[in-house]
Amino acid sequence: MPLDRTALDRFFAALHPYDALEPGTRAALIAAFREQAVPAHQPVYTLGNPLDGLYLIHSGRVEVRDGNGAQLSLLGPRNSFGERGLMRDGIAVTSARTTEDTVLLVLPRPAFLTLVEREPAAARFFDRQRPARAQRSDLLTSRVETLMARDPLTCAPDATVQAAAQAMSARHVSSICVTDGDRLKGIATIRDISGKVVGGGLPYDTPVTQVMSAAPITLPPSAIGSDVLHMMMERRIGHVPICEGTRLVGMVTQTDLTRFQATTSAELVSEIAQAPDAAAMARVTARIPRLLVQLVAGGARHEVVTRLITDISDTCTRRLLTLGEEALGPAPVPYLWLACGSQGRQEQTGVSDQDNCLILDDAVTDDQRGWFAQLADFVCTGLDTCGYVFCPGEMMATNPRWCQPLETWRGYFRSWIARPSPEAQMLASVMFDLRPIGGTLTLFDALREETLAAAAKNSIFVAHMVSNGLKHQPPLGLWRGFATIRSGEHRNSIDLKLNGVVPVLDLARIYALQGQLTPVNTRARLEAATAAGVLSATGGRDLLDAYDLIAETRLEHQARRIKSGARPDNYLMPADLSDFERSHLRDAFVVIKSLQSALGHGKGMLG
């Protein structure tokens, strides 16, 4: 029995992206859909065959599986599928089968492509590629919430000017907001107190309300930098309270604007390179969260943000090496300091510990090892002071195991490759991400080439690395949702690092191993693997798009936490995302799952 047209109108009017269409356009589109009843346990389409069009479930259930038979999704009413193949060449990249009697609405491919071409809302919804982000990193167009100082200094209306002045002095700020609860009543500045109290001869117990500027003009957090500048210049003021309604949430001063303009990675690198000690460097690295927020707000791509943040930790490391040599004297033999982990891959975010090691020249003697132990302690302790906390697994140069001559390192890698125990696989995974930071760079060149060649030739080792690399699974729930953390502090959230970014970097590392590719950065590895034919062009493009979306979602989440005054982390609540964002993020996880499945079945090239 055909579906009722009125019921169809209501169905589409409440379904994205069709709800964003003009009523006449939506009505014409509905007419283009055709009904298709499919009995239970029957195929809708199979992998590699032409697609009839976009499938939309009106009633029933459909399971979607990848080319290796792994279930990717179990879809219900209002879910659509088939768009990935339609957006490419019209060939199915998955298989779909009903699990119960199902009624589908099918939009023929020509009509679907016309919809995506003409309607921006449909293009954004169905095109899973990450759109280019506008660059908005200048002061004038940055939102006030990225500029303002949070937790501004406040006092009650009955405070005296002396108490207000003492509070400002203790906080090293030039203004204080007078509030009644969280309602802003006025603002008093150092100039107000010096001019009206000291200059005017008022007693120090004068109520601050007598010298404050009552009902000051404010801006909301959604204002932009040009609003602040124009207000300051027009009204000749140096302080602008930021309020949500009447509630005070921040303050922007001329100093904040100057600091924002100066908060660039180049500025931080310059200051660190000249710092006299770790404490001075720590004062600089404390500004990294502000830099992250500024870069994300400015539309910088995730690989640019993480590269700039990693450059700062590289500079810290090299400066500490220099200071260490100044304190301990010249190195007795050549050495090389290397980073692994996120620093090694140049992928540090707002949450980073330290992972490092030392390669020593084979001429080193037992008596000289003490010098390098002292250097390692000096540098690692300095990095911890700068906010790069000690590695919980002691993957640091302070561990004698990771401060060894070159020949010992050769033995390590030969042993890991020849006998790939679980520990060997874990250590090899970490050490394949090594990147030289400071010292004699030639100590690593031959070791890297030898190791990649030996590892790629050992099929048993590669198989073990593949198995180890597939342990981290994307957080896909059965019912078109997410598999969230079930208990503990992060209950109902997903870990964007462990279950989002890590599965991709595991895949990239294996592709690099298979192709004997030298890049260490995850994105660079994927690009190199695609260029070398280790990963197909379509598989590489899909995985890059998925990685970009997850990595940028992670950085945006960290930036939001920093702006709210919380510490950045990797735990995202899916409920904090819009339906649109959840749909795209889940599709990115599906791509990763598909490539993991292909790799697990010995198919490095997907697509």
Side-chain angles (χ1 to χ4, degrees), residues 77 176 231 250 290 371 542:
I176 189 167
M231 182 180 293
R290 178 186 287 270
W371 187 96
D542 283 351

Side-chain angles (χ1 to χ4, degrees), residues 92-421:
V93 296
T94 56
S95 295
R97 186 180 186 87
T98 59
T99 62
E100 59 185 67
D101 290 347
T102 300
V103 175
L104 300 173
L105 301 175
V106 185
L107 181 64
R109 187 176 185 232
F112 170 76
L113 295 178
T114 300
L115 172 67
V116 171
E117 179 183 354
R118 295 182 180 177
E119 298 295 336
R124 288 193 301 271
F125 186 79
F126 291 115
D127 187 354
R128 300 319 193 191
Q129 293 187 63
R130 190 65 164 163
R133 303 177 66 180
Q135 297 293 315
R136 314 182 304 276
S137 58
D138 65 295
L139 173 64
L140 294 180
T141 57
S142 294
R143 285 171 63 100
V144 162
E145 63 183 358
T146 69
L147 308 173
M148 70 185 190
R150 297 180 182 274
D151 189 26
L153 182 63
T154 63
C155 68
D158 59 357
T160 65
V161 292
Q162 183 179 41
Q166 290 171 340
M168 283 190 277
S169 177
R171 282 273 294 268
H172 304 288
V173 296
S174 56
S175 66
I176 189 167
C177 292
V178 182
T179 57
D180 184 3
D182 60 3
R183 294 173 64 89
L184 178 66
K185 308 295 290 186
I187 181 172
T189 67
I190 290 292
R191 178 177 294 183
D192 291 327
I193 293 176
S194 63
K196 298 175 182 178
V197 178
V198 179
L202 294 176
Y204 292 163
D205 60 357
T206 299
V208 71
T209 52
Q210 291 189 24
V211 300
M212 74 179 188
S213 298
I217 189 166
T218 67
L219 285 173
S222 58
I224 59 176
S226 61
D227 297 327
V228 179
L229 283 173
H230 294 167
M231 182 180 293
M232 286 181 172
M233 289 187 287
E234 179 182 355
R235 299 175 181 272
R236 297 185 179 181
I237 57 176
H239 304 76
V240 178
I242 308 302
C243 293
E244 289 181 335
T246 61
R247 184 170 67 90
L248 178 70
V249 296
M251 172 70 71
V252 178
T253 68
Q254 290 177 335
T255 302
D256 293 320
L257 301 185
T258 301
R259 187 183 297 119
F260 179 89
Q261 290 177 305
T263 304
T264 66
S265 59
E267 183 72 20
L268 269 58
V269 163
S270 176
E271 292 183 36
I272 290 169
Q274 303 173 58
D277 52 38
M281 294 161 61
R283 290 192 289 273
V284 181
T285 56
R287 287 149 51 192
I288 290 177
R290 178 186 287 270
L291 174 65
L292 186 147
V293 170
Q294 180 176 325
L295 290 170
V296 172
R301 289 181 57 86
H302 71 92
E303 67 268 26
V304 174
V305 177
T306 55
R307 173 63 181 269
L308 295 176
I309 291 177
T310 304
D311 285 349
I312 296 169
S313 62
D314 287 357
T315 306
C316 285
T317 305
R318 284 189 286 267
R319 181 57 180 162
L320 287 167
L321 288 170
T322 298
L323 293 174
E325 289 193 28
E326 290 176 358
L328 300 172
V333 297
Y335 71 90
L336 179 61
W337 186 282
L338 304 99
C340 48
S342 59
Q343 184 184 2
R345 296 188 303 274
Q346 296 179 298
E347 294 167 2
Q348 288 186 306
T349 66
V351 187
S352 296
D353 59 4
Q354 55 175 293
D355 298 281
N356 46 61
C357 64
L358 269 170
I359 296 179
L360 312 180
D361 189 278
D362 286 330
V364 67
T365 65
D366 290 341
D367 291 339
Q368 294 169 336
R369 285 173 175 264
W371 187 96
F372 291 103
Q374 292 181 69
L375 179 70
D377 182 70
F378 182 91
V379 175
C380 290
T381 301
L383 289 172
D384 181 68
T385 299
C386 292
Y388 306 102
V389 298
F390 293 124
C391 174
E394 296 189 19
M395 190 71 68
M396 298 180 296
T398 49
N399 184 338
R401 188 180 187 185
W402 311 127
C403 179
Q404 292 291 335
L406 176 59
E407 189 54 38
T408 300
W409 279 100
R410 284 195 170 98
Y412 283 163
F413 280 103
R414 283 195 295 263
S415 173
W416 295 335
I417 294 169
R419 293 180 294 277
S421 65

Side-chain angles (χ1 to χ4, degrees), residues 19 59 65 114 132 162 170 186 208 210 333 383 425 447 481-482 605:
D19 58 348
S59 62
R65 294 182 177 271
T114 300
Q162 183 179 41
V208 71
Q210 291 189 24
V333 297
L383 289 172
Q425 296 167 39
L447 176 63
F482 297 104
M605 295 177 62

Side-chain angles (χ1 to χ4, degrees), residues 588-603:
F589 291 142
V590 166
V591 168
I592 297 170
K593 178 74 172 179
S594 298
L595 281 157
Q596 286 183 326
S597 179
L599 190 64
H601 286 78
K603 302 172 185 177

Side-chain angles (χ1 to χ4, degrees), residues 302-564:
H302 71 92
E303 67 268 26
V304 174
V305 177
T306 55
R307 173 63 181 269
L308 295 176
I309 291 177
T310 304
D311 285 349
I312 296 169
S313 62
D314 287 357
T315 306
C316 285
T317 305
R318 284 189 286 267
R319 181 57 180 162
L320 287 167
L321 288 170
T322 298
L323 293 174
E325 289 193 28
E326 290 176 358
L328 300 172
V333 297
Y335 71 90
L336 179 61
W337 186 282
L338 304 99
C340 48
S342 59
Q343 184 184 2
R345 296 188 303 274
Q346 296 179 298
E347 294 167 2
Q348 288 186 306
T349 66
V351 187
S352 296
D353 59 4
Q354 55 175 293
D355 298 281
N356 46 61
C357 64
L358 269 170
I359 296 179
L360 312 180
D361 189 278
D362 286 330
V364 67
T365 65
D366 290 341
D367 291 339
Q368 294 169 336
R369 285 173 175 264
W371 187 96
F372 291 103
Q374 292 181 69
L375 179 70
D377 182 70
F378 182 91
V379 175
C380 290
T381 301
L383 289 172
D384 181 68
T385 299
C386 292
Y388 306 102
V389 298
F390 293 124
C391 174
E394 296 189 19
M395 190 71 68
M396 298 180 296
T398 49
N399 184 338
R401 188 180 187 185
W402 311 127
C403 179
Q404 292 291 335
L406 176 59
E407 189 54 38
T408 300
W409 279 100
R410 284 195 170 98
Y412 283 163
F413 280 103
R414 283 195 295 263
S415 173
W416 295 335
I417 294 169
R419 293 180 294 277
S421 65
E423 183 192 34
Q425 296 167 39
M426 182 274 292
L427 293 175
S429 295
V430 173
M431 293 305 176
F432 277 136
D433 293 349
L434 285 174
R435 181 173 61 88
I437 303 297
T440 304
L441 302 182
T442 54
L443 285 172
F444 186 59
D445 293 341
L447 176 63
R448 174 169 52 192
E449 294 175 6
E450 293 168 10
T451 301
L452 282 174
K457 292 176 183 177
N458 189 321
S459 59
I460 296 177
F461 175 76
V462 173
H464 279 279
M465 286 291 289
V466 169
S467 176
N468 186 63
L470 299 181
K471 290 180 179 178
H472 300 105
Q473 293 289 316
L476 288 170
L478 189 61
W479 298 98
R480 190 78 176 182
F482 297 104
T484 58
I485 297 171
R486 295 186 176 182
S487 61
E489 179 185 358
H490 304 295
R491 184 172 178 267
N492 295 328
S493 69
I494 55 177
D495 188 336
L496 288 174
K497 178 183 178 181
L498 189 64
N499 301 113
V501 171
V502 169
V504 181
L505 68 88
D506 285 340
L507 287 171
R509 187 185 296 117
I510 293 168
Y511 297 144
L513 176 61
Q514 291 175 330
Q516 300 184 46
L517 308 172
T518 57
V520 176
N521 174 266
T522 298
R523 206 174 195 285
R525 277 174 166 168
L526 295 177
E527 291 173 342
T530 304
V534 178
L535 183 60
S536 71
T538 52
R541 183 183 64 203
D542 283 351
L543 189 53
L544 280 169
D545 286 341
Y547 178 55
D548 288 345
L549 176 62
I550 295 167
E552 289 179 5
T553 300
R554 180 189 181 201
L555 284 180
E556 289 163 357
H557 165 72
Q558 292 187 4
R560 282 194 300 271
R561 286 188 58 84
I562 293 169
K563 289 189 291 185
S564 69

